[in-house]
Amino acid sequence: MTDQQTPAAAPAGEPILLTKKDFVSDVDPRWCPGCGDYSILAQAQKAMPDFGYRREDIVFISGIGCSGRFPYYMNTYGFHSIHGRAPTLATGLKASRPELMVWVITGDGDALSIGGNHILHSMRKNVDIKVVMFNNRIYGLTKGQVSPTSDFGQKTKTTPGGSVNYPIHPLVVALAAEASFVARSVDTFPDHLQETISRAGHHKGSTFVEVLQNCNIFNDGAHREFTDKEVRDDRMIFLRHGEPMIFGKDRDRGIRLNGVRPEVVRLGDGITEEDLLVHDETSEDPTIHFMLGRIYWPEFPVPVGVIRNVSRTTHDALLQGQVDEAIRREGRGDLRTALGGGETWTVGG
Amino acid sequence: MSTTDPTTEHEVEIQELDRVTVRFAGDSGDGMQVTGSQFSQSTAVFGNDLSTLPDYPAEIRAPAGSLTGVSGFQISFSSSPIYTPGDAPDVLVAMNPAALKRNIGDLVAGGAVIVNGDAFTPNNLAKAGYANNPLTDGSLKGYNVHEIPITTLNARALEGLDMTPKQVDLTKNFFALGVMFWLFERSMEPTLEWLEEKYAKRPVFIEANKRALMAGYAFGETTEIFHTHYRVAPAKLAPGTYRNITGNEATALGFLTASQLAERNLFYSSYPITPASEILQQLAEYKNFGVKTLQAEDEIAAIGAAIGASYGGGLGLTGTSGPGMALKSEMVGLAVITEIPLVIVNVQRAGPSTGMPTKTEQADLFQAVFGRNGDAPVPVVAPASPGECFAYAIEAWRLAIRHMTPVVYLSDAFLATGSEPWRIPELDELPDLRAPDHTELEGWHPYVRDPETLARPWVVPGTPGLEHRIGGLEKLDVLGTVSYDPDNHHRMSLLRAEKIARIANDIPPLEVFGPPEGELLILGWGSSFGAIRSAVERLQARGKSVAHAHLRHLNPFPSNTGDVVRAYRQVLVPEVNMGQLLFLIRGTYLVDAMGFNLVRGKPFQISEIQMKAEQLLGDL
């Protein structure tokens, strides 16, 4: 295993001094007023200067949906591709241009319905792309149809009698696909969101960030039950590497394992922090990470933060490694030799 | 002409022939493809012109001895230039009753049949549906049958080797190959060298196959069953160094060469599909040229990754067959609207749907030209022979880079797996494909166009100051921002169409073989070249006013195409589809062309085209 934690910063020379406004494009964002996407855009723009990449070396690639417009608003290179397929373009771009920083902006329908296969394979190949999935649990751009993360029984324009589909748990999908970095944040938690995007940007390898995002037009309050200011401390758990899994306004509750099953316990009465699970985002064993990706309100507090962060050699590095190794072993390819390969014979003039 | 060869002990008649067609047939586990390709290799090195046609079932191992499990390999070789693997074989090698039954009907009257007599057991005869043994019931009396107990003789030759009986049996195809080498005076050397390399780690297999081969050769030499052996003199090919090459090999080499000529790294992403998989396999071997390959999770991902690579300034290439092409069509549209250079290979096979995966067809022309939503014009090129795949792989990239557009490259199963001698080009014969990335800020916009070609600049990420956004939404002319303006959409649709139409100024005119005007023009495209050209040569030799023109550029057509098709009283368009080029020609030029369409998963035979032409000329 090689250490891939250090980002391939721009070549030595002038330090890159950029600010948020360098990443604001000349196109005015056109999402609905009050949309959670504005917040994600602002936090992403704030996080960018810190990565040490020049603006021209950063590429945002999106699919279709409200999230798909994101690249237009970033003053970097950008590609608004087709529905569900952004990870494929990102894979090809990163493989052929490993020095670029490549982001994929997607939504719950784009990533988990039409593009599900590409999420699986870009993650398991550890392609060094940073996927940010806006999860509003609805199809917003097409005006309100059921999405793969919509609630069971949810009434939408295409499910007037209530959805008969059980929702996907996005983080479990990312973990099952062997993403090397998996995290969750919320559109209305600006600091947490910026920090999460920042950590994602610094990770080298397949990165999946779910952002719980509100669609105030077609699925208003999708996450309100646990994200509202008054309840969030009691209904969510903010994960920190190396810290026990404690939550609650009074930090009086925690998560422990009872056999192989997680349970919420109240501290006191003989239960101490020692009994609680301690978050280890770097654990190679993903069992607890799966658990964290799966537990949800109302049975459990909703985990946010970095759930998994492990180091594996990236797809682009492996591909480039094979090229370098072939050149080392065989010398740089000679076209004349390749053309004349196999048995040949000569016909005289 | 017959002479006596003084070098052999017994009297052998030598018959000099201009052209011979041989078909090897056996169970799909009998190694007929290897046998055929080794025979081809030796024939190529000998200096004959040749053309091959493998014919194998889609099942890797159909039930042994069954009719559906028969695998065949046909080779035609000649002392003069030839264009097809031959209509009817002169010699059939049949390793079992099923192979005999499936192929005997194709043999010329009086043709030679070499059979493995050991395989004609009651069980195998029953599996092939023979009520009586054809070797003894007189049904083959119209042919020159040579029954050889190949299994027994081969096992005897391998006695003492540390191999299982099953392993021994698997080498009997080399016994048959040895017989054929003797019969046609081929050298065993190329095959012996190939064995050394192939089984470097299994010396016993080298020894076994060598013994099998030499035993077969010795059998031919010492037994009396062949009174004749055949001599096909080397062909007079243009001077140069040659190799025998299949269409898929030439395609892969052409793409590799294009990347070297363009000084850009090749990125090939593909999903396994018959008959295109060999291209991925071969390109994966060129890593020391900087070639990167990706076996994608599906067809859509494969083209998506290729677009990503081209967006980054590489040569993004993807390859597939018809069903995969269907899946890629939305992505082709994305490359059209973003005006990104890209090449999409379709090695066509018989459709629709899964169709007949190992069988050839030319039925994806409409798909290539039209198969997208919206008005999404794409240039289409199609090589006409296995060797020509090289030049058209390069041509596809020349057009893609110069005109900033996706290009469809249409091969087919016949070209892909067929082979012919190919003159290795000198590097200075090849075009210069270099086109620097655009880095100039002054006067730049994402969709500003070259006044001649209408191509937009290729600006790649990493270029400072030119950060911009592109995508699948309609673009504002010049500025490239998103636009829903009605007049702008109309203008952009016209520009996209005009950009592709202008490629007609950048490709050679359609060449005519034969009289520039007259009674009949046969117009073809793709792999039917050989059969058409051979038929036309025969008709011309009999004084007929017949010409042949063959399109390699299917969209746009060469600028003189209309003049060519209007210069003859009749135009015949033979295609292995239901009339797709015919439809385009009639629609584009308003000429009353006629189709000749046979869709059997097989290439045309020369005689079929000749007969159709004779009908039109009133000779029949």
Side-chain angles (χ1 to χ4, degrees), chain B residues 571 573 575 578-587 593-595 597:
Chain B
V571 178
V573 184
E575 295 176 85
M578 295 299 286
Q580 300 190 6
L581 177 63
L582 176 74
F583 185 91
L584 295 175
I585 291 292
R586 289 174 66 101
M594 285 163 290
N597 309 93

Side-chain angles (χ1 to χ4, degrees), chain A residues 25-27 30 55-61 69 71-83 85-86 88-100 114 117-119 121-122 124-125 315-316 319-320 322-324 326-327 330-349, chain B residues 41 44-45 47-48 190 193 237-244 253 256-257 260-261 267 285-298 300-301 304-309 311-313 330-331 334 338 340 390 421-422 424-427 430 459-473 475 482 484:
Chain A
S25 83
D26 55 3
V27 179
R30 269 200 276 166
R55 209 164 51 181
E56 62 268 24
D57 291 333
I58 300 174
V59 184
F60 277 82
I61 304 180
R69 308 189 71 91
Y72 295 117
Y73 312 137
M74 294 295 296
N75 194 11
T76 62
Y77 280 88
F79 202 137
H80 181 198
S81 77
I82 53 179
H83 207 4
R85 317 301 174 195
T88 72
L89 275 80
T91 297
L93 178 61
K94 186 69 190 179
S96 56
R97 295 285 306 280
E99 75 280 15
L100 300 174
I114 195 166
N117 199 24
H118 310 309
I119 287 294
H121 289 274
S122 57
R124 66 112 175 166
K125 287 176 178 168
H315 180 251
D316 63 271
L319 274 185
Q320 188 61 47
Q322 290 195 346
V323 166
D324 295 342
I327 292 171
E330 302 155 36
R332 195 163 278 284
D334 174 57
L335 186 57
R336 212 178 284 270
T337 310
L339 295 181
E343 292 276 351
T344 62
W345 70 97
T346 302
V347 174
Chain B
Q41 199 59 47
V45 173
N48 291 134
E193 283 169 27
L237 301 172
T241 303
Y242 284 78
R243 64 186 282 194
N244 189 41
L253 263 185
L256 172 72
T257 304
Q260 300 293 299
L261 296 171
F267 179 84
E285 300 288 337
Y286 294 138
K287 292 198 170 59
N288 62 331
F289 287 87
V291 175
K292 289 179 181 170
T293 56
L294 175 76
Q295 183 178 322
E297 60 268 25
D298 60 32
I300 300 170
I307 292 175
Y311 173 62
E330 187 189 8
M331 277 286 186
L334 179 67
T338 53
I340 278 181
F390 176 80
W422 173 65
I424 299 166
E426 296 299 328
L427 299 186
L430 303 171
V459 175
V460 305
T463 313
L466 302 190
E467 296 85 1
H468 66 286
R469 276 63 60 187
I470 57 172
L473 289 171
K475 298 290 165 293
V482 174
Y484 284 85

Side-chain angles (χ1 to χ4, degrees), chain A residues 137-138 144-147 150 153-163:
Chain A
R137 310 188 72 178
I138 196 76
Q145 298 81 15
V146 71
S147 105
S150 293
Q154 187 171 334
K155 289 193 172 160
T156 72
K157 283 183 183 159
T158 48
T159 55
S163 169

Side-chain angles (χ1 to χ4, degrees), chain A residues 23-312:
Chain A
F23 290 94
V24 177
S25 83
D26 55 3
V27 179
D28 289 331
R30 269 200 276 166
W31 288 303
C32 306
C35 176
D37 291 0
Y38 286 100
S39 161
I40 307 174
L41 176 65
Q43 299 317 320
Q45 287 167 335
K46 271 190 217 161
M48 286 297 128
D50 178 45
F51 296 129
Y53 280 85
R54 296 174 204 281
R55 209 164 51 181
E56 62 268 24
D57 291 333
I58 300 174
V59 184
F60 277 82
I61 304 180
S62 63
I64 297 296
C66 296
S67 66
R69 308 189 71 91
F70 195 95
Y72 295 117
Y73 312 137
M74 294 295 296
N75 194 11
T76 62
Y77 280 88
F79 202 137
H80 181 198
S81 77
I82 53 179
H83 207 4
R85 317 301 174 195
T88 72
L89 275 80
T91 297
L93 178 61
K94 186 69 190 179
S96 56
R97 295 285 306 280
E99 75 280 15
L100 300 174
M101 180 187 224
V102 182
W103 292 79
V104 168
I105 303 298
T106 181
D108 41 319
D110 194 59
L112 297 174
S113 194
I114 195 166
N117 199 24
H118 310 309
I119 287 294
L120 286 183
H121 289 274
S122 57
M123 293 296 109
R124 66 112 175 166
K125 287 176 178 168
N126 202 30
V127 179
D128 181 22
I129 55 176
K130 293 92 174 68
V131 176
V132 182
M133 190 198 81
F134 302 3
N135 183 7
N136 57 16
R137 310 188 72 178
I138 196 76
Y139 281 74
L141 190 72
T142 49
K143 303 195 176 75
Q145 298 81 15
V146 71
S147 105
T149 55
S150 293
D151 266 331
F152 181 83
Q154 187 171 334
K155 289 193 172 160
T156 72
K157 283 183 183 159
T158 48
T159 55
S163 169
V164 296
N165 304 320
Y166 304 101
I168 279 179
H169 296 79
L171 300 187
V172 174
V173 172
L175 289 164
E178 300 289 338
S180 55
F181 183 97
V182 177
R184 178 190 280 144
S185 190
V186 183
D187 58 356
T188 50
F189 301 177
D191 294 345
H192 189 266
L193 180 57
Q194 190 191 331
E195 186 196 335
T196 308
I197 291 173
S198 178
R199 293 216 40 208
H202 280 109
H203 177 73
K204 211 59 184 143
S206 55
T207 301
F208 186 90
V209 178
E210 177 192 18
V211 181
L212 303 179
Q213 173 247 330
N214 193 40
C215 173
N216 56 325
I217 304 298
F218 295 106
N219 197 18
D220 195 21
H223 314 288
R224 178 187 297 157
E225 258 187 277
F226 50 88
T227 58
D228 267 1
K229 222 183 197 90
E230 301 72 43
V231 295
R232 72 172 62 138
D233 288 337
D234 287 330
R235 298 181 177 181
M236 301 187 76
I237 179 163
F238 291 79
L239 298 170
R240 294 266 168 216
H241 178 62
E243 291 181 13
M245 296 186 194
I246 296 180
F247 69 103
K249 215 170 268 166
D250 306 320
R251 296 189 61 75
D252 59 345
R253 275 166 290 164
I255 297 173
R256 74 169 182 188
L257 274 189
N258 179 358
V260 295
R261 297 168 63 178
E263 64 178 8
V264 171
V265 291
R266 201 168 279 279
L267 293 170
D269 281 339
I271 296 175
T272 69
E273 280 191 18
E274 302 286 292
D275 297 310
L276 303 181
L277 279 165
V278 173
H279 182 46
D280 179 5
E281 65 187 30
T282 63
S283 164
E284 283 293 329
D285 183 315
T287 310
I288 301 297
H289 300 160
F290 273 108
M291 180 206 91
L292 291 168
R294 189 68 171 72
I295 60 175
Y296 220 74
W297 182 258
E299 293 80 13
F300 287 94
V302 176
V304 286
V306 177
I307 286 177
R308 183 170 178 80
N309 175 22
V310 296
S311 177
R312 281 190 285 144

Side-chain angles (χ1 to χ4, degrees), chain B residues 188-209:
Chain B
M188 288 188 281
E189 275 314 308
T191 299
L192 293 173
E193 283 169 27
W194 177 83
L195 283 171
E196 296 281 348
E197 198 174 314
K198 163 111 178 152
Y199 295 116
K201 289 181 184 146
R202 310 284 295 274
V204 69
F205 286 5
I206 300 176
E207 178 61 20
N209 282 291

